[in-house]
Amino acid sequence: MYDLLTGPLLWLVFIVTFVGLIVRVVMYIRGLNWKLDRVAYRPHLGHGLKHAARSIVFFLIPFGTHSWRSRPLFTILFFAFHIGLLVTPIFLEAHNVMLEKSLGIRLPGLPAGVADMLAWTVVVGGLFMVLRRIAFSDVRILTTAYDYILIVISVAPFATGLIARYELGNYDFWLIAHILTGEIWLLALPFTKLSHVVLFFMSRMQLGMDYGIKRGGMKGTSMSW
Amino acid sequence: MPEGTLCNKQPINTDEQLKLVLNDKGGKQYYAEMEQLDVDTEKLWNTIQKTMKSRLKTWLEICAHCGLCSESCFLYQVNGRKPEQVPSYKIQSTLGEIVKKKGQVSNEFMRHCMDVAWSWCTCCNRCGQFCPHGIDMGVMFSYLRGLLYSQGFVPWELKIGSGMHRVYRAQMDVTTEDWVETCEWMAEENEEEWPGLEIPVDKEGADIMYTCNAREPKHYPEDLAEAAILFHVAGENWTVPSEGWEQTSLSMFAGDWECCKDNVENVYAAIERLKPKRAIGTECGHAHRATVIEGPYWVGREDGQPPVPFMHYVEWLLEALETGKIKIDPAKRIKEPVTLQDSCNYVRNQGLKNVTRKIIEYIVEPGYFREMAPNKEYNYCCGGGGGFNGIGKYRPQRNVALLKKLQQIQDTGAKLVIAPCHNCWDAIRDLEEEYEIGIRWSFLKPLVINMMIVPDHLKPEE
Amino acid sequence: MSKKILLATTGSPASFGAARVAFQMAKRYGSEIIVFHVIGLPTKAYSQIVHDVRTGDEVQVDDDYKSWVEDELRNTYARQIEEAEGGVSFVLTTGVPHREILRTARSEDVDLIIMGASSGSIDHIDYKGYTGSTLQKVAKAAKCPVMTVHRESAAYRGGFNHVLFCTDFSKQANHAFKYALNTARECDCDMTMFHALDVGGKVLAQNEIEDRLIEARKRMRSLYGSQMGDFKNYDVEAWEGIPYMEIVKLARERMADLIVMAHHAGESDSDEARLGSTLEQVILRASCPVVSVNKPDKV
């Protein structure tokens, strides 16, 4: 079971996920339409890309934009959650061991304490995200079951991983559960709203170009949109 | 009844039809007919499939429902923070539903969409700056308005507005003759005080072609006279076209894209005909957005630029002040607390935020200028943008919408609001009418005329 | 005498004085009258709804409404219309009042505009975006003389018998003089030319005052006397004081039934000028119609 899940199935999952995400990116770019979007992407590509990069960079910096500054608590929660979500699986020592076994390469590993903390951040962050959706009427009205499922999908690998790590209950069961939920999470990336893992960059880039080309960038104004 | 005589899917293309719709008091029959109007669901879905490309589709799909947009929306704030006013919810529950149902929506739903699209959103695009995913709900609402217009679900005044553009090529019934006559009249009325003042019509090869808002010749031709006086004093070689002088686009508010294209083509044709070095538009926000920012795309100009450089009035004014073409008498500068209204359409949507502030430095005594908070590209809509001002049906909602600007102005303590945009000017005027907070408001032109130094050779002989 | 008169009316009692003068002129001199009325002020951007001028209600102006308002006006002036010799027509429109008055005056090429002075408060919202009152804007820009009848008691009860022309020796005053002279000639009445030496807010030696008054009389005689031709029924007066007070006092003393003075184009732009202007004060206080002249075209 373990071998299957970490062997051929994992490869399949990786392939589907990466190909899927690449398709999403390609489709996005192909579906841009200068006339309908009213942005002259091509003739002012340089300008556009400059502001696209600007737009992405500023939104990736905590408190880098007016928007992030306007809701500091949410910003902290949001960045902590996403950092944990991305950093932990890539730099986790145990994952690196697997990587070395199969491909012979490894990435720098995280000290166990840091990895634990990050994983806990994701779980607690996820919990707060759920609470936030329940507590605030402006978020509650937007929230659908789909949003909760996505939080569950995203947090499950971390929760199961932590349980396995602390060897609570049956280690093998929780390890398998961890691997399975991780794979579900990966598969969900291209097919659900989690596609924002790449589409965030696409959409930001698009709006950055919009502002950069049409809405002021070419007039020499730079806004941190 | 599938199609009404007043409310239907056909745009107004003739004077008779225009009069017919106009004579319907307050749109009573029009709105009654709308309740019976069939939704052409097949056409709706076809249009969506053809025009809804990856940007909008992605935006609808990846919205994380995080609610970061809620506080960005002034309508959410002034409507008691009702969750239904969260921008994301507004678009998801309208356009989102139409897409989800593949266009299979009812008449009632379409009317609900109309209410939301025109009275819950002014397309000010402020929310777009707050969404981490870069989702601009103003853009989506504009798209939704287009869909609604094509199905006949559009507020009465805007159906008429775009009809006016279609029939008169102006937002009001101002004909070419009326316009040329008004130019003569204004030159005549002011020639004594301003010897040599001219409003040259159709002069080829001038440095500047000036375009304006039809409300000016219709109701406030002083504005045209003021523009002429300022060009005259600045020594500009300028002209106005006899056709293509109207720069506004109520059709943009209505979502009548075909008509938008026609409006802009008309202005660009004047440019091609008169070959000015550049064009300058009046102190109007949406006119600038229509003709300069969006217009090139409507007519299919690949570089996204008008045929010649096209400036907003504030850009020209700053240039004239900086180059000394217009000099301000320091003794006559504004010496009372004064604030500035940033128009969404050329500040948030074209970044002209510093231009107006540099003008302020020239015309306001240091220490008297008060910024609104927030300001520049984060300023709130005046409360009457996107067509909101003119729609009778949504007057109560509009009056609530004004509360944000009211509070912002009051917080500055200013008694004078400089509003270089017709829509903002109107909204602030209505604000004073509704709430009487004791403010005055002004365009830039009359202020500058009152404080500029007139060179001796331009003064009348005594 | 003015052949074509534009009577700008609000249809309210405030403009009855103006209407009475206009119709009496029509009766006596056979002038044609255009009764002009702004139905509504365009308030709501490109909205089709306007504010009814009299009631303040929001109304939508269409042909029905227009003809209803026209009927109201016809009823209001029914008797006077009957007696008017030169014909009466109606122009009803929507817009900013001063602008629409000027527009119609221009397109109809009228010789005289008659209006009440208090039609619409300048504090009203619809005027606040602009400086100055309707009257001031009309008086400034009109090509023809503008007659104002502020108080109903100022509506004369017969022809003109005594014209008081007040001068400050400006270019506009010269145009005003021509109008005063032509009126006096055509109506065969007396005319007093008057200059009030403004001593408000300054202390002048009595000698200097007297010298200046002699100078002013001389100047009137030479400047205007030369233009009198065969017209003899005039005299010249000059004394010191606050101009508007002296003008009103003299008008009362001479039982003048028409005051003619210049309007100064430059004056109407600032708030101080509005409140302090001699013309405005004379209009408010005079017990007869006041004509202001700014341009030479229609005198």
Side-chain angles (χ1 to χ4, degrees):
Chain A
M1 182 70 173
Y2 177 84
D3 287 340
L4 176 75
L5 284 179
T6 56
L9 198 63
L10 184 61
W11 283 114
L12 189 68
V13 168
F14 274 132
I15 289 165
V16 171
T17 302
F18 284 109
V19 172
L21 289 176
I22 288 166
V23 168
R24 295 294 303 237
V25 170
V26 172
M27 295 284 284
Y28 186 89
I29 296 172
R30 283 174 56 103
L32 289 176
N33 184 308
W34 71 271
K35 230 172 155 177
L36 287 171
D37 301 347
R38 300 187 211 142
V39 185
Y41 300 110
R42 264 175 221 282
H44 308 290
L45 200 61
H47 249 294
L49 290 178
K50 187 178 134 204
H51 286 87
R54 212 189 131 79
S55 177
I56 291 171
V57 168
F58 275 96
F59 265 91
L60 287 181
I61 301 171
F63 305 106
T65 64
H66 198 284
S67 174
W68 291 136
R69 288 190 290 273
S70 67
R71 295 270 187 105
L73 282 178
F74 176 80
T75 304
I76 292 167
L77 171 70
F78 176 88
F79 273 95
F81 181 77
H82 276 83
I83 290 168
L85 212 56
L86 289 175
V87 172
T88 325
I90 296 174
F91 299 106
L92 189 77
E93 189 55 37
H95 290 178
N96 265 313
V97 172
M98 289 169 65
L99 190 66
E100 200 170 18
K101 244 189 237 166
S102 56
L103 291 179
I105 53 158
R106 57 171 297 138
L107 297 163
L110 280 175
V114 176
D116 284 353
M117 201 192 68
L118 284 173
W120 276 111
T121 308
V122 173
V123 176
V124 175
L127 193 67
F128 271 104
M129 289 213 169
V130 170
L131 289 177
R132 190 176 168 273
R133 288 196 179 278
I134 296 167
F136 300 126
S137 61
D138 57 330
V139 200
R140 190 163 62 228
I141 195 169
L142 293 169
T143 304
T144 58
Y146 184 34
D147 296 310
Y148 288 121
I149 292 169
L150 289 180
I151 293 181
V152 171
I153 290 177
S154 307
V155 175
F158 294 83
T160 51
L162 280 172
I163 293 170
R165 152 130 180 54
Y166 293 125
E167 299 188 19
L168 305 167
N170 183 335
Y171 176 82
D172 285 340
F173 169 78
W174 288 109
L175 184 66
I176 298 287
H178 171 69
I179 297 165
L180 262 178
T181 51
E183 286 173 358
I184 290 172
W185 181 67
L186 282 172
L187 278 178
L189 291 182
F191 299 109
T192 67
K193 226 190 257 191
L194 296 180
S195 55
H196 75 254
V197 66
V198 288
L199 292 181
F200 159 81
F201 295 92
M202 293 295 109
S203 174
R204 275 249 71 86
M205 198 185 285
Q206 194 281 327
L207 200 68
M209 288 179 93
D210 189 337
Y211 271 98
I213 292 168
K214 185 175 75 168
R215 300 205 228 170
M218 289 180 65
K219 289 266 180 189
T221 343
S222 41
M223 306 186 194
S224 51
W225 39 81
Chain B
M1 181 175 64
E3 298 268 301
T5 50
L6 305 182
C7 183
N8 49 47
K9 297 181 183 65
Q10 310 311 314
I12 295 175
N13 279 321
T14 63
D15 203 26
E16 298 77 63
Q17 181 67 11
L18 184 62
K19 294 248 157 62
L20 201 65
V21 182
L22 253 174
N23 275 331
D24 175 27
K25 287 212 176 206
K28 229 173 169 182
Q29 188 192 337
Y30 178 88
Y31 287 121
E33 285 179 8
M34 189 183 284
E35 292 181 22
Q36 309 296 323
L37 188 62
D38 278 342
V39 185
D40 185 345
T41 52
E42 198 177 320
K43 183 183 159 209
L44 185 59
W45 183 235
N46 276 338
T47 311
I48 290 174
Q49 283 177 310
K50 255 189 263 155
T51 55
M52 196 157 156
K53 300 287 178 179
S54 65
R55 182 174 70 156
L56 292 181
K57 261 198 264 181
T58 307
W59 280 353
L60 279 178
E61 186 191 340
I62 67 168
C63 170
H65 298 164
C66 70
L68 263 192
C69 53
S70 56
E71 277 294 328
S72 74
C73 179
F74 76 106
L75 287 167
Y76 172 76
Q77 293 186 25
V78 295
N79 283 292
R81 295 193 158 72
K82 239 175 36 181
E84 289 80 7
Q85 283 279 2
V86 175
S88 167
Y89 180 78
K90 287 188 266 195
I91 197 69
Q92 296 279 354
S93 65
T94 51
L95 179 63
E97 281 299 301
I98 296 177
V99 173
K100 216 181 275 172
K101 292 183 174 149
K102 298 195 190 309
Q104 298 294 321
V105 290
S106 67
N107 168 294
E108 203 186 346
F109 186 78
M110 289 294 270
R111 280 185 287 123
H112 167 70
C113 287
M114 178 181 90
D115 291 342
V116 177
W118 275 282
S119 73
W120 295 31
C121 176
T122 63
C123 298
C124 78
N125 301 86
R126 191 170 189 270
C127 48
Q129 294 176 299
F130 284 76
C131 174
H133 281 170
I135 300 172
D136 194 326
M137 274 132 308
V139 169
M140 285 202 274
F141 265 111
S142 176
Y143 176 77
L144 175 61
R145 287 179 179 196
L147 294 180
L148 292 167
Y149 178 87
S150 69
Q151 295 282 332
F153 293 89
V154 58
W156 180 66
E157 285 87 349
L158 288 177
K159 179 92 176 189
I160 294 170
S162 82
M164 286 279 184
H165 279 292
R166 282 167 175 270
V167 176
Y168 291 97
R169 287 189 137 166
Q171 63 162 278
M172 291 180 147
D173 51 351
V174 180
T175 62
T176 303
E177 293 73 42
D178 294 340
W179 161 249
V180 174
E181 173 76 14
T182 306
C183 291
E184 278 170 29
W185 178 24
M186 282 302 111
E188 208 175 88
E189 192 173 291
N190 291 281
E191 68 195 352
E192 203 173 343
E193 214 179 325
W194 302 95
L197 183 78
E198 274 186 299
I199 303 185
V201 180
D202 281 343
K203 181 157 109 189
E204 278 181 38
D207 293 337
I208 292 168
M209 184 184 98
Y210 181 68
T211 58
C212 68
N213 179 324
R215 286 180 57 206
E216 293 166 5
K218 178 83 180 173
H219 292 311
Y220 317 108
E222 291 87 346
D223 200 288
L224 175 64
E226 286 160 359
I229 290 165
L230 285 165
F231 283 141
H232 175 64
V233 171
E236 296 283 16
N237 171 15
W238 70 294
T239 188
V240 292
S242 57
E243 296 260 8
W245 52 272
E246 157 70 308
Q247 200 197 337
T248 68
S249 184
L250 294 185
S251 35
M252 178 169 77
F253 293 157
D256 183 354
W257 307 125
E258 192 184 59
C259 178
C260 285
K261 180 169 180 255
D262 183 69
N263 294 342
V264 175
E265 272 173 349
N266 201 26
V267 177
Y268 289 0
I271 293 177
E272 309 285 355
R273 184 160 49 85
L274 300 180
K275 302 183 180 58
K277 291 203 181 69
R278 53 186 181 163
I280 289 163
T282 188
E283 293 174 67
C284 184
H286 95 275
H288 184 71
R289 180 148 173 205
T291 319
V292 183
I293 306 174
E294 315 284 0
Y297 298 97
W298 291 331
V299 301
R301 294 183 64 88
E302 271 181 60
D303 62 353
Q305 303 292 320
V308 294
F310 207 131
M311 296 165 105
H312 189 271
Y313 199 78
V314 297
E315 293 177 279
W316 175 79
L317 184 58
L318 178 62
E319 180 195 287
L321 290 167
E322 283 182 336
T323 54
K325 284 179 179 171
I326 289 178
K327 292 195 182 69
I328 299 293
D329 179 353
K332 292 186 183 163
R333 290 198 288 201
I334 299 170
K335 292 184 195 62
E336 62 172 323
V338 57
T339 189
L340 168 74
Q341 163 64 8
D342 286 302
S343 158
C344 305
N345 281 327
Y346 64 87
V347 175
R348 180 153 37 251
N349 279 294
Q350 215 196 13
L352 299 184
K353 57 185 175 184
N354 294 326
V355 174
T356 39
R357 283 171 176 76
K358 284 185 198 155
I359 293 173
I360 294 282
E361 285 174 19
Y362 281 91
I363 65 170
V364 176
E365 187 79 8
Y368 287 96
F369 178 56
R370 311 266 189 274
E371 286 278 9
M372 286 188 201
N375 62 355
K376 301 181 180 170
E377 67 266 31
Y378 292 104
N379 194 22
Y380 291 109
C381 167
C382 56
F388 213 176
N389 263 343
I391 304 172
K393 185 175 163 71
Y394 302 135
R395 179 111 326 221
Q397 290 90 325
R398 204 291 312 263
N399 288 344
V400 173
L402 293 174
L403 291 170
K404 190 74 217 175
K405 194 51 60 187
L406 179 144
Q407 185 201 334
Q408 273 190 299
I409 293 172
Q410 280 187 324
D411 288 348
T412 66
K415 292 286 168 226
L416 175 63
V417 185
I418 298 177
C421 166
H422 268 271
N423 240 306
C424 300
W425 191 101
D426 277 325
I428 293 165
R429 177 213 164 281
D430 286 9
L431 186 162
E432 176 62 22
E433 181 180 37
E434 283 295 323
Y435 302 104
E436 297 183 19
I437 58 171
I439 50 164
R440 288 170 293 116
W441 56 96
S442 181
F443 287 116
L444 282 164
K445 292 183 200 104
L447 294 174
V448 172
I449 286 179
N450 278 336
M451 60 177 81
M452 69 184 169
I453 298 171
V454 182
D456 284 335
H457 70 278
L458 295 178
K459 286 180 182 160
E461 284 174 41
E462 269 309 323
Chain C
M1 206 59 224
S2 309
K3 288 188 186 64
K4 206 168 184 184
I5 295 172
L6 183 112
L7 167 65
T9 172
T10 55
S12 65
S15 62
F16 283 175
R20 188 180 304 163
V21 175
F23 282 112
Q24 282 179 357
M25 282 177 78
K27 189 175 163 188
R28 190 169 282 255
Y29 308 112
S31 313
E32 176 189 343
I33 295 227
I34 299 168
V35 180
F36 175 88
H37 177 65
V38 168
I39 303 178
L41 304 156
T43 59
K44 311 299 184 190
Y46 36 85
S47 149
Q48 303 301 326
I49 294 166
V50 297
H51 272 167
D52 184 281
V53 175
R54 288 170 305 167
T55 61
D57 291 346
E58 289 196 344
V59 292
Q60 196 207 327
V61 174
D62 56 14
D63 292 344
D64 283 352
Y65 190 77
K66 267 191 182 172
S67 61
W68 177 74
V69 175
E70 189 177 321
D71 286 348
E72 289 272 290
L73 287 172
R74 277 186 190 280
N75 290 337
T76 309
Y77 305 124
R79 199 174 42 83
Q80 287 139 304
I81 291 171
E82 231 168 75
E83 292 175 354
E85 300 280 326
V88 178
S89 59
F90 284 80
V91 173
L92 286 86
T93 186
T94 57
V96 182
H98 78 270
R99 198 29 76 194
E100 297 310 317
I101 292 171
L102 289 168
R103 194 194 301 271
T104 307
R106 181 174 186 269
S107 64
E108 297 284 341
D109 197 24
V110 303
D111 305 305
L112 180 70
I113 296 171
I114 302 185
M115 56 197 287
S118 56
S119 54
S121 154
I122 48 160
D123 293 328
H124 189 269
I125 185 77
D126 293 309
Y127 305 92
K128 264 182 106 175
Y130 304 95
T131 51
S133 63
T134 298
L135 165 65
Q136 213 157 17
K137 305 223 144 202
V138 172
K140 177 186 171 183
K143 292 216 137 180
C144 63
V146 177
M147 180 186 285
T148 329
V149 187
H150 176 59
R151 302 154 73 188
E152 217 183 331
S153 63
Y156 76 123
R157 286 164 183 81
F160 296 121
N161 292 310
H162 196 119
V163 177
L164 173 60
F165 162 64
C166 312
T167 179
D168 57 357
F169 303 111
S170 61
K171 188 176 73 182
Q172 288 86 356
N174 204 26
H175 307 324
F177 167 73
K178 285 190 183 121
Y179 178 78
L181 177 62
N182 289 341
T183 307
R185 267 210 181 110
E186 285 175 42
C187 303
D188 191 22
C189 48
D190 298 335
M191 175 167 151
T192 301
M193 293 194 281
F194 179 59
H195 174 74
L197 177 64
D198 190 355
V199 294
K202 51 197 159 191
V203 179
L204 292 174
Q206 193 56 29
N207 281 351
E208 199 186 338
I209 291 177
E210 281 164 14
D211 287 351
R212 287 210 206 171
L213 292 175
I214 293 168
E215 167 67 25
R217 286 195 195 94
K218 254 194 216 160
R219 214 170 150 190
M220 277 189 271
R221 286 212 175 84
S222 68
L223 193 60
Y224 305 123
S226 59
Q227 302 179 47
M228 289 291 183
D230 55 357
F231 185 77
K232 301 285 180 229
N233 309 331
Y234 70 93
D235 66 353
V236 170
E237 284 290 358
W239 62 67
E240 71 282 15
I242 299 167
Y244 71 81
M245 288 238 182
E246 301 308 322
I247 291 168
V248 173
K249 270 152 68 179
L250 181 61
R252 195 167 55 215
E253 188 192 302
R254 296 281 160 101
M255 291 195 287
D257 34 33
L258 188 67
I259 300 175
V260 179
M261 32 192 312
H263 175 86
H264 291 268
E267 258 186 11
S268 62
D269 286 336
S270 73
D271 285 351
E272 300 93 77
R274 186 183 76 208
L275 296 169
S277 97
T278 303
L279 174 65
E280 201 96 352
Q281 288 299 322
V282 171
I283 287 169
L284 290 175
R285 291 156 201 272
S287 50
C288 68
V290 179
V291 169
S292 77
V293 181
N294 188 20
K295 300 200 173 166
D297 306 64
K298 289 276 177 183
V299 296

